[in-house]
């Protein structure tokens, strides 16, 4: 059987993260002579907190009324329902101070799908896309899938020696240099970041925005973890498309209310970009999910009115901050390896000073503890692992236990 050249090529370059998750599958763990119930995983790139009860009630209301359930089975407009786009505009305004009109918003199936559609809408296969190193591991595959041989340029943001992000004045200079050399059509980065949980500061993001504005490139900020920011909110979190027409904000319902399997995402941007995305989305998914939009719309209006959304998000933020603190304290106490202090999100990066693929395999086989090798996020993490506390947020004791086990095996405790 002959598949497409593109897919044949991509099957031969599987994601290193998927490979390690396969290695940690139940059967493989048993084959290694370990008990799968004793495995402690820092691998999951997902959240473990509960969604708001009030959101669940909105789903119950839809499901308990046969006419409402019938109505939730209809197609949505390609851009999403106006009511849902209004709810998003209101939420962005009340939570972050972003000024949006519904013409600035498109709802999609998820931010993964919207990122793919953005690549198609904004760039050509001969263009260059600028990513950071490290960055979210799915971007390179998504770029290849949508733009074939588009060039990916990388701006290294992590200093290997100090194991800290470069100061923003240095990052800004490096960005200008690489921009002049590569002339990217799109600059894409998450903030708070996956895998580093760093939040890029105003000076650096303003530099990127100004250069992109002047040279007519697009700056896409991936806000998958926007509500899980532990430091004071940078001012760009509230920028509007009216001020920055070359900025695109990519959003997801997955992380804030644990909607990972109830998938919905949205983009806010200049009206022209939204119109372009509408055309692409007609071909990619036709329209976003109706049931999730209905539940989300009623929930957001109600929860903004009674203040419960802000309270819920505050609780969630505190819980992840606590899980992050315990993770960093445990690494310091048991392993004493360099690691980044999270400023938001679900992760830290730990420098292991040996080939991380080998380190992860060795540690898994001998302790049943799973880390993610860094290479999939960029060359800068060849000797580092990503550690996720996200899935353990409601059971933080397990976080310490895993590091204690690894320290016993490595003989460093
Ligand atoms: C930075 C980043 N963007 C996007 C996604 C995927 O978001 P969605 O669930 O909306 O597709 C993830 C998931 O881990 C992520 O870390």
């Amino acid at each position: 059987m002959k598949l497409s050249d593109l897919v044949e090529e991509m099957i031969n370059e599987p994601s290193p993260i998927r490979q390690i998750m396969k290695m940690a599958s139940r059967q493989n763990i048993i084959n290694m002579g370990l008990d799968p119930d004793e495995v402690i995983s820092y691998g999951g790139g997902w959240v473990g907190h509960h969604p708001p009860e009030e959101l669940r009630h909105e789903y119950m209301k839809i499901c308990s009324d046969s006419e409402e359930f019938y109505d939730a089975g209809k197609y949505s407009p390609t851009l999403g329902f106006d009511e849902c786009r209004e709810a998003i505009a209101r939420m962005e305004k009340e939570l972050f101070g972003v000024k949006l009109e519904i013409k600035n918003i498109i709802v999609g199936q998820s931010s993964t799908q919207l990122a793919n559609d953005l690549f198609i809408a904004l760039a050509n296969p001969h263009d260059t896309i600028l990513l950071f190193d490290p960055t979210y591991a799915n971007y390179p595959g998504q770029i290849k899938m949508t733009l074939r041989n588009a060039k990916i340029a990388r701006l290294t943001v992590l200093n290997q020696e100090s194991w800290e992000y470069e100061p923003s004045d240095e990052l800004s200079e490096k960005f200008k240099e690489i921009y002049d050399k590569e002339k990217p059509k799109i600059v894409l980065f998450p903030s708070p970041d996956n895998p580093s949980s760093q939040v890029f500061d105003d000076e650096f993001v303003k530099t990127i925005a100004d250069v992109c504005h002047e040279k007519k490139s697009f700056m896409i900020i991936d806000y998958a973890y926007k509500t899980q920011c532990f430091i004071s909110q940078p001012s760009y979190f509230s920028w509007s498309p009216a001020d920055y027409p070359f900025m695109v904000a990519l959003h997801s319902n997955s992380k804030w209310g644990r909607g990972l399997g109830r998938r919905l995402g949205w983009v806010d941007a200049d009206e022209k970009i939204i119109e372009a995305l509408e055309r692409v989305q007609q071909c990619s998914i036709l329209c976003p999910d109706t049931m999730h939009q209905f539940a989300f719309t009623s929930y957001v209006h109600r929860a903004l009115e009674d203040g419960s959304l802000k309270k819920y998000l505050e609780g969630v933020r505190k819980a992840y901050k606590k899980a992050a603190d315990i993770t960093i304290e445990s690494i310091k106490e048991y392993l004493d390896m360099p690691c980044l202090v999270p400023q938001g999100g679900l992760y830290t990066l730990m420098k292991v000073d040996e080939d991380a693929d080998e380190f992860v395999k060795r540690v898994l086989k001998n302790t049943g503890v799973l880390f993610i090798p860094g290479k999939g996020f960029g060359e800068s993490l060849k000797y580092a692992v990503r550690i996720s506390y996200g899935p353990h947020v409601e059971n933080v004791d397990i976080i310490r236990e895993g590091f204690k086990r690894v320290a016993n095996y490595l003989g460093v405790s």
Side-chain angles (χ1 to χ4, degrees):
M1 189 189 292
K2 181 81 182 101
L3 306 171
S4 76
D5 293 347
L6 173 68
V7 166
E8 294 274 6
E9 226 178 274
M10 291 191 70
I11 288 174
N12 288 327
E13 305 165 358
S15 134
I17 298 166
R18 286 283 133 224
Q19 275 175 308
I20 195 77
M21 292 307 256
K22 259 190 210 163
M23 195 182 141
S25 70
R26 206 173 165 83
Q27 194 51 51
N28 249 335
I29 294 288
I30 295 168
N31 295 348
M32 283 180 215
L34 297 165
D35 177 354
D37 296 330
E38 294 296 313
V39 167
I40 297 179
S41 171
Y42 299 105
W46 54 81
V47 289
H49 66 286
H50 277 71
E53 269 300 276
E54 297 87 341
L55 177 61
R56 190 169 69 84
H57 290 146
E58 295 299 341
Y59 280 96
M60 278 163 60
K61 258 180 63 197
I62 297 168
C63 292
S64 62
D65 182 295
S66 72
E67 283 314 300
E68 276 200 45
F69 190 69
Y70 171 79
D71 201 33
K74 69 187 177 191
Y75 279 131
S76 157
T78 299
L79 286 169
F81 289 102
D82 285 359
E83 293 82 353
C84 182
R85 294 157 76 209
E86 269 156 19
I88 288 168
R90 180 174 176 196
M91 183 171 93
E92 283 288 340
K93 174 95 183 50
E94 293 194 24
L95 296 183
F96 300 105
V98 186
K99 282 193 224 96
L100 294 171
E101 294 178 45
I102 68 165
K103 66 180 184 190
N104 300 121
I105 297 168
I106 183 168
V107 183
Q109 182 265 353
S110 63
S111 75
T112 303
Q113 168 260 322
L114 286 162
N116 287 349
D117 287 6
L118 275 166
F119 294 135
I120 294 170
L122 305 180
N124 290 306
H126 59 260
D127 284 327
T128 297
I129 315 296
L130 180 62
L131 304 177
F132 294 171
D133 192 330
T135 199
Y136 178 43
N138 215 15
Y139 294 151
Q142 291 183 273
I143 293 168
K144 186 159 183 169
M145 194 66 93
T146 52
L147 295 175
R148 303 274 166 148
N149 291 320
K151 181 175 174 192
I152 297 175
R154 294 276 200 157
L155 171 69
T156 304
V157 288
L158 177 63
N159 184 313
Q160 303 287 304
E161 295 302 312
S162 65
W163 208 247
E164 279 174 2
Y165 268 40
E166 304 276 11
S168 67
D169 52 343
E170 279 173 36
L171 277 184
S172 299
E173 283 315 306
K174 273 174 74 176
F175 170 76
K176 284 185 207 158
E177 260 169 48
I178 199 164
Y179 186 95
D180 282 344
K181 182 163 166 256
E182 302 287 353
K183 303 193 171 31
K185 187 76 193 293
I186 296 175
V187 180
L188 164 62
F189 58 93
S191 188
D193 183 48
N194 174 7
S196 71
S197 278
Q198 301 302 289
V199 175
F200 295 100
D201 76 5
D202 279 326
E203 179 188 338
F204 180 46
V205 175
K206 179 101 173 61
T207 304
I208 301 173
D210 288 345
V211 172
C212 288
H213 186 81
E214 190 196 336
K215 307 272 172 69
K216 302 197 171 4
S217 298
F218 297 101
M219 174 180 79
I220 306 178
I221 306 183
D222 181 339
Y223 279 126
Y225 305 92
K226 192 175 187 181
T227 58
Q228 279 122 343
C229 180
F230 310 147
I231 60 172
S232 58
Q233 179 181 308
S235 71
Y236 62 87
F237 272 31
S238 63
W239 288 355
S240 304
D243 307 319
Y244 291 91
F246 285 88
M247 177 185 74
V248 177
L250 178 59
H251 299 271
S252 168
N253 231 5
S254 293
K255 305 287 160 55
W256 72 266
R258 200 174 184 276
L260 307 144
R262 287 179 288 273
R263 294 168 71 69
L264 210 64
W266 67 92
V267 160
D268 59 72
D270 184 77
E271 189 179 358
K272 205 146 175 254
I273 297 173
I274 300 301
E275 281 168 13
L277 274 177
E278 180 184 19
R279 184 66 191 95
V280 180
Q281 191 157 277
Q282 274 161 6
C283 301
S284 62
I285 60 165
L286 188 63
C287 62
D289 182 282
T290 296
M291 173 103 131
H292 297 324
Q293 285 187 80
F294 278 7
F296 176 81
T297 303
S298 334
Y299 167 74
V300 164
H301 283 305
R302 213 177 285 247
L304 282 172
E305 250 141 56
D306 66 14
S308 61
L309 178 57
K310 278 193 180 162
K311 218 186 273 168
Y312 172 77
L313 292 177
E314 195 46 43
V316 169
R317 193 172 17 245
K318 279 194 183 136
Y320 283 98
K321 170 81 173 78
K322 183 174 164 207
D325 289 346
I326 291 173
T327 304
I328 300 304
E329 281 160 23
S330 310
I331 292 174
K332 291 216 156 82
E333 181 179 348
Y334 297 113
L335 295 174
D336 201 23
M337 290 178 178
C339 60
L340 295 175
V341 176
Q343 298 175 329
L346 314 180
Y347 316 99
T348 183
L349 294 174
M350 184 171 82
K351 192 177 175 189
V352 298
D353 273 338
E354 64 174 87
D355 182 273
D357 285 354
E358 293 309 313
F359 176 84
V360 167
K361 282 183 207 156
R362 190 159 66 88
V363 168
L364 178 62
K365 279 190 189 137
N366 288 286
T367 67
V369 173
L370 175 68
F371 298 121
I372 294 292
K375 215 168 58 191
F377 304 97
E379 280 299 305
S380 61
L381 298 188
K382 224 170 139 189
Y383 303 109
V385 294
R386 187 190 74 176
I387 292 164
S388 173
Y389 44 80
H392 308 302
V393 68
E394 291 188 355
N395 181 21
V396 289
D397 290 343
I398 202 86
I399 297 176
R400 279 187 230 283
E401 180 55 34
F403 292 111
K404 216 190 285 183
R405 235 194 250 175
V406 175
N408 278 340
Y409 162 64
L410 295 175
V412 292
S413 62

